[in-house]
Amino acid sequence: MGETKITIEQHIAAPPQQVWATINDTRRFAEWVVNTLEVTRADSERADAGVTYDERNRIAGPLTGSSRWVVASSEPPRRTVHTGEGIWLAGPMRLEMTVEPDGDGTHYLHEFFYEPGLGPLAPLVDLGLRPSISRDMRRSVQALRELCEREAA
């Protein structure tokens, strides 16, 4: 089975610089990424290229796990790509976040890619997990919007 992609787009009524500062701060990930319970270790408070960080994550319901991430690329203040591993239900993961001016606010693009895990069971795993992952990604982007807009006010 190949890679699954989930795309969420959102207008945020806050300046792009503020949105960038929020998504680029490793200390704040648990504030808006709904599956991130905490960042347990990070090389830096800024998610610059090459920075690594570890998270404790909610997988599904009461199930938790840990993930390891690397900031594969960072093009301030526009785009960042993080690659991750360690979630037992998924293989390699990639998160691409893009920030662009949109009128007096920001257009935010959140793209999450993953390979379902568990070998031959991957299609069934993906069928079961994709709706939950999509919902969590939408909730995360909504939380980012609310956080940035509250701080911009």
Side-chain angles (χ1 to χ4, degrees), residues 12 14-24 98-99 106 108 144 148:
I12 300 175
Q17 302 88 331
Q18 181 180 3
V19 176
W20 178 261
T22 303
I23 68 170
N24 198 51
T98 305
V99 173
T106 301
Y108 176 71
L144 175 65
C148 291

Side-chain angles (χ1 to χ4, degrees), residues 18-86:
Q18 181 180 3
V19 176
W20 178 261
T22 303
I23 68 170
N24 198 51
D25 188 338
T26 60
R27 298 167 301 176
R28 302 199 74 185
F29 293 167
E31 289 182 59
W32 63 275
V33 181
V34 299
N35 293 86
T36 300
L37 299 172
E38 68 177 319
V39 174
T40 58
R41 186 205 57 81
D43 293 342
S44 172
E45 295 172 353
R46 288 183 14 178
D48 296 328
V51 165
T52 64
Y53 60 96
D54 300 332
E55 295 180 338
R56 191 168 62 86
N57 308 99
R58 179 176 302 106
I59 307 301
L63 299 175
T64 62
S66 297
S67 58
R68 290 169 301 286
W69 293 85
V70 175
V71 181
S73 68
S74 180
E75 304 162 26
R78 186 185 165 282
R79 186 168 185 271
T80 186
V81 178
H82 300 209
T83 57
E85 62 180 20

